[in-house]
Amino acid sequence: MADTNGNKNGFAVHVRNVTKTFGTGEAQVVALKGVDFDARMGELLMIVGPSGCGKTTLLSVIAGTLVFEAGEIDVFDSPLHRLKNREVTEFRKRNVGFIFQQFNLIPTLSILENVSVPLLINGVGRVKAEKKAREVLERMGLAGRENDRPTLLSGGQQQRVAIARALVHDPRLVICDEPTSALDKDTGAKIMELLRDVARHPDRCVIVVTHDNRVFKYADRMTEMEDGRVHKVHENYSQYEQKGNH
Amino acid sequence: MYRLALKMLLGDRAKYIMLVGGLTFASLLMTQQCAVFFGLLSWTTSHMRNMRASIWVVDPKVEQINEIKAMRDTDVNRVRSVTGVAYAVPLYAGVIQARIADGSFKPVQLIGLDSATLVGRPPVVLSGRLEDLRLPHTVMVDELAIERLSLRGGRKIGIGDTFEINDREARIIGICKTDRHFFGYPYVFTTYDEAMQFAPKTRKMLSMVLAEPVKGWTAAQTARQIENETHLKAFTEDEFNKSTIKWFFKNTGIPASFGTTIILGFIVGIVVSGQTFYSFVLENLRNLGALKAMGASNWLLARMLMLQALTVGFIGYGIGVGLTVLFGFAVLKTGQPPFLLPYQLPLFTLVVIIFICMFAALLGIRKIYKLEAAVVFRG
């Protein structure tokens, strides 16, 4: 299922007519109104738009962390809309890496342990997991900090740990929710460079949700959302800029 | 992941201490109070351990060993004549005032043993010879009697010393060890004949008949035979034990008051650990959500929570039972309050603590099952 390399129409993520509502009755809010969306392999795709337009909801349904009511989502040819809960969890475990706005590192664990978590969840033994985590941390420039607690690191360093954690099990889809909004400009730029490097892999796709316009330039493509729908797709940042968006 | 679960638990020092503290308190309260309760119950049947016999024959209306109705002396012979009885001896048991050297009175539990056989003798003689009880006006007293019958601040009485029972001199010829009695009276052993002299005269003086079955008969068979032939009440040791404890359950508020404390311990354990563990889960909800997003199944997270809950449970249980044992060692030296810790009691507490932990874990597990992994994307 999820481990096949073939991609529908050459897309890593293929979303068709997806609808998601929250609440019931008068309090019902339609967050996604028949969204169509694609993401390619080897690209860093940004989903942008104003607050409340459905960016994070779209990201959640693509990642398989939120159940949607209607539509179809294929990620690496795995039809999420047809999978059972347990299969979706299994899919996420193997194929998705997460980078969160608030880093979501577990404060009582060391950096090495935090980075090992996805491997441990995948059933890798502790020694092997920590060896791999050490290698990834070294690539992130965090060698020597393995035994520190996350709280001892700066925001940028914590986000690098989060990236290491997202990549340690070699996922094909990396989901990033506002990865730079808690960081200053320079640190944010470094993080985005890192993510762009991560995306430069033919078998990988990085999707970033952000409203931080300082980092838009790192996008290979940009999907603009408005009121629960995909409003425009820009093939590059210049196109987005030319349309007077910046 | 289990190792990380434990690190997550131990990392939150305040919650960890609170959880262990709550479970320690619950475990201590339940075990210690139960042990005191069992100790108290054991005191109600101490006569049976201090005057051992297979069959206890009493008036038909007697329900428990501490409330004896006197019988006629001839009843001993009636019991002796029953088929299946190897031997039967008279026994006197009554609470009598003893007067000590300064003229003050102390109640004592006077036990009169059959002069010929001394059946019903105390289990452990610490000093002196039991056979010397056959000498006139002699008694063997227990350690508590030494405390009670000695003058306050003066030297302890011992072998050769005297005191008065019912205006008659009683000379101590030995000291024995007994199990303390429910009413707290010291034991004073003498012969049945001597007891008849010490005790105030009443129409009937025989308290009980102690009997043994012949070879090939069980105590229960012989007891039933005695009842059939004499219309007296005959208890085996086990029957008398149960009957006495049942009487205390039915007629006193002791089980209710101890039961209340034990239930309180259980409730404190449930509330403190349940509430603390639930708030531990709530505070970690984002982290748990992140684990869930990364592919940790509900079952894996549930097992992690159960491990955390059981870890604090076992630590709290260990400390609680350990403190109870220390308490037990301390009180057994002084003799009070009563304390009895059968091996079933720590096992019972363990089961209750595991139940409390599982309940606390269940609250968290319920939350995790309902938790959407997407919670990590909300700001």
Side-chain angles (χ1 to χ4, degrees):
Chain A
M1 43 166 251
D3 289 348
T4 55
N5 280 318
N7 307 310
K8 205 171 194 175
N9 307 319
F11 293 118
V13 180
H14 186 69
V15 178
R16 282 296 167 268
N17 204 22
V18 165
T19 303
K20 171 69 189 170
T21 54
F22 292 107
T24 52
E26 284 182 15
Q28 192 177 62
V29 176
V30 185
L32 299 178
K33 300 171 180 169
V35 169
D36 292 332
F37 169 89
D38 296 305
R40 297 171 191 150
M41 299 299 258
E43 77 171 355
L44 190 153
L45 178 92
M46 273 189 197
I47 304 174
V48 299
S51 294
C53 69
K55 304 186 294 288
T56 300
T57 306
L58 178 59
L59 195 71
S60 302
V61 294
I62 292 170
T65 58
L66 196 62
V67 179
F68 52 97
E69 285 94 42
E72 293 182 2
I73 298 180
D74 291 279
V75 184
F76 308 119
D77 269 358
S78 285
L80 296 192
H81 50 283
R82 279 199 221 120
L83 298 184
K84 289 175 186 159
N85 268 348
R86 193 187 292 174
E87 291 168 329
V88 173
T89 304
E90 194 65 24
F91 171 81
R92 280 202 312 267
K93 186 163 92 177
R94 293 182 183 194
N95 296 292
V96 188
F98 291 90
I99 297 167
F100 309 107
Q101 181 178 358
Q102 298 299 330
F103 322 133
N104 282 79
L105 300 172
I106 299 171
T108 47
L109 303 184
S110 72
I111 288 160
L112 187 69
E113 287 163 340
N114 265 290
V115 176
S116 308
V117 165
L119 290 170
L120 296 173
I121 291 174
N122 274 288
V124 178
R126 185 164 71 94
V127 177
K128 219 171 166 185
E130 290 191 351
K131 188 171 174 252
K132 181 83 191 292
R134 226 177 271 278
E135 285 168 18
V136 180
L137 279 170
E138 203 177 319
R139 284 213 305 270
M140 294 292 147
L142 288 164
R145 305 298 302 263
E146 294 89 346
N147 296 320
D148 288 346
R149 294 285 167 98
T151 44
L152 295 174
L153 303 183
S154 67
Q157 287 172 321
Q158 287 191 46
Q159 195 59 298
R160 275 193 279 154
V161 174
I163 294 173
R165 183 179 64 181
L167 300 177
V168 74
H169 58 307
D170 297 318
R172 291 190 291 161
L173 178 63
V174 180
I175 295 284
C176 314
D177 180 40
E178 306 279 6
T180 57
S181 62
L183 305 174
D184 61 68
K185 188 185 162 195
D186 291 342
T187 314
K190 281 178 191 160
I191 292 298
M192 285 314 297
E193 277 164 20
L194 257 173
L195 288 176
R196 197 167 57 181
D197 288 344
V198 169
R200 297 279 175 269
H201 194 290
D203 285 337
R204 191 177 283 153
C205 172
V206 178
I207 301 176
V208 178
V209 157
T210 185
H211 58 250
D212 182 359
N213 55 14
R214 299 171 303 177
V215 301
F216 286 175
K217 60 184 176 215
Y218 295 95
D220 292 323
R221 282 198 308 140
M222 296 179 79
T223 295
E224 222 184 317
M225 284 190 74
E226 208 174 283
D227 192 26
R229 290 189 178 89
V230 171
H231 178 55
K232 276 177 202 160
V233 178
H234 307 281
E235 284 305 313
N236 49 50
Y237 173 61
S238 328
Q239 205 179 76
Y240 174 80
E241 213 175 15
Q242 277 164 17
K243 293 197 174 167
N245 281 309
H246 195 54
Chain B
M1 286 306 285
Y2 300 123
R3 197 176 139 268
L4 298 190
L6 290 180
K7 285 198 83 174
M8 284 170 75
L9 171 73
L10 298 175
D12 192 343
R13 212 44 76 81
K15 288 267 181 326
Y16 170 70
I17 290 170
M18 184 90 172
L19 278 166
V20 169
L23 289 165
T24 297
F25 183 68
S27 167
L28 173 67
L29 208 58
M30 285 188 287
T31 318
Q32 188 263 359
Q33 285 296 295
C34 279
V36 172
F37 176 59
F38 289 153
L40 203 58
L41 284 184
S42 80
W43 278 9
T44 65
T45 55
S46 59
H47 273 354
M48 300 174 69
R49 289 183 299 283
N50 293 332
M51 304 170 270
R52 296 140 301 147
S54 298
I55 300 163
W56 303 68
V57 186
V58 288
D59 182 272
K61 296 293 174 197
V62 168
E63 289 178 81
Q64 56 115 341
I65 196 165
N66 302 293
E67 276 192 347
I68 296 300
K69 189 173 180 294
M71 303 183 289
R72 284 178 298 193
D73 278 354
T74 51
D75 286 333
V76 180
N77 289 329
R78 291 176 64 212
V79 175
R80 279 174 182 155
S81 67
V82 172
T83 318
V85 173
Y87 66 81
V89 294
L91 186 111
Y92 174 84
V95 177
I96 292 180
Q97 298 288 345
R99 197 164 75 173
I100 60 175
D102 66 356
S104 61
F105 288 92
K106 305 279 179 186
V108 294
Q109 177 71 55
L110 184 68
I111 304 294
L113 310 174
D114 175 52
S115 317
T117 61
L118 297 177
V119 166
R121 67 188 70 185
V124 181
V125 175
L126 297 172
S127 58
R129 291 173 65 240
L130 191 71
E131 293 74 16
D132 288 346
L133 277 183
R134 293 190 181 111
L135 297 171
H137 317 306
T138 55
V139 292
M140 179 172 271
V141 297
D142 68 0
E143 293 163 300
L144 183 63
I146 299 293
E147 293 291 323
R148 296 274 172 85
L149 302 180
S150 296
L151 291 179
R152 191 174 289 176
R155 83 170 173 86
K156 299 277 181 220
I157 58 167
I159 294 174
D161 288 329
T162 59
F163 59 94
E164 279 182 21
I165 303 175
N166 203 17
D167 291 336
R168 284 176 172 272
E169 187 185 70
R171 188 162 51 87
I172 300 170
I173 54 89
I175 299 165
C176 61
K177 190 177 177 67
T178 60
D179 273 8
R180 191 180 278 239
H181 186 252
F182 181 70
F183 297 127
Y185 302 137
Y187 278 89
V188 174
F189 289 88
T190 186
T191 59
Y192 186 77
D193 300 330
E194 205 66 53
M196 294 301 104
Q197 304 302 316
F198 285 135
K201 296 286 173 289
T202 54
R203 194 167 66 85
K204 296 174 184 176
M205 295 291 282
L206 177 68
S207 304
M208 290 178 245
V209 176
L210 307 182
E212 282 293 319
V214 290
K215 251 188 184 165
W217 284 58
T218 64
Q221 283 172 328
T222 308
R224 297 299 81 80
Q225 190 67 26
I226 292 168
E227 285 179 341
N228 287 339
E229 291 189 26
T230 64
H231 301 293
L232 296 169
K233 182 79 187 166
F235 290 98
T236 64
E237 199 178 353
D238 186 46
E239 288 166 356
F240 217 4
N241 240 314
K242 282 181 183 157
S243 177
T244 300
I245 286 170
K246 192 176 160 193
W247 187 91
F248 274 87
F249 265 83
K250 268 171 64 180
N251 297 286
T252 70
I254 299 167
S257 67
F258 275 92
T260 309
T261 316
I262 292 158
I263 290 168
L264 198 69
F266 177 73
I267 292 171
V268 166
I270 282 255
V271 170
V272 172
S273 57
Q275 197 272 339
T276 312
F277 200 73
Y278 187 66
S279 73
F280 172 75
V281 171
L282 280 188
E283 280 176 23
N284 278 288
L285 214 54
R286 267 193 99 77
N287 294 329
L288 294 168
L291 292 177
K292 207 167 174 177
M294 284 186 262
S297 63
N298 282 333
W299 177 228
L300 173 64
L301 295 174
R303 279 179 295 167
M304 286 168 69
L305 284 193
M306 281 193 274
L307 175 71
Q308 290 170 333
L310 284 176
T311 301
V312 287
F314 282 124
I315 293 170
Y317 167 78
I319 298 173
V321 171
L323 289 173
T324 306
V325 169
L326 288 179
F327 172 84
F329 277 125
V331 300
L332 285 177
K333 274 184 189 164
T334 61
Q336 24 184 6
F339 188 86
L340 181 68
L341 188 67
Y343 76 91
Q344 293 94 336
L345 181 52
L347 286 179
F348 160 78
T349 315
L350 179 64
V351 170
V352 175
I353 291 291
I354 288 174
F355 172 79
I356 292 173
C357 292
M358 285 297 100
F359 174 78
L362 208 65
L363 292 177
I365 289 168
R366 202 171 142 263
K367 193 82 191 161
I368 281 175
Y369 270 73
K370 284 183 172 178
L371 177 72
E372 265 186 343
V375 71
V376 284
F377 292 119
R378 288 168 203 150

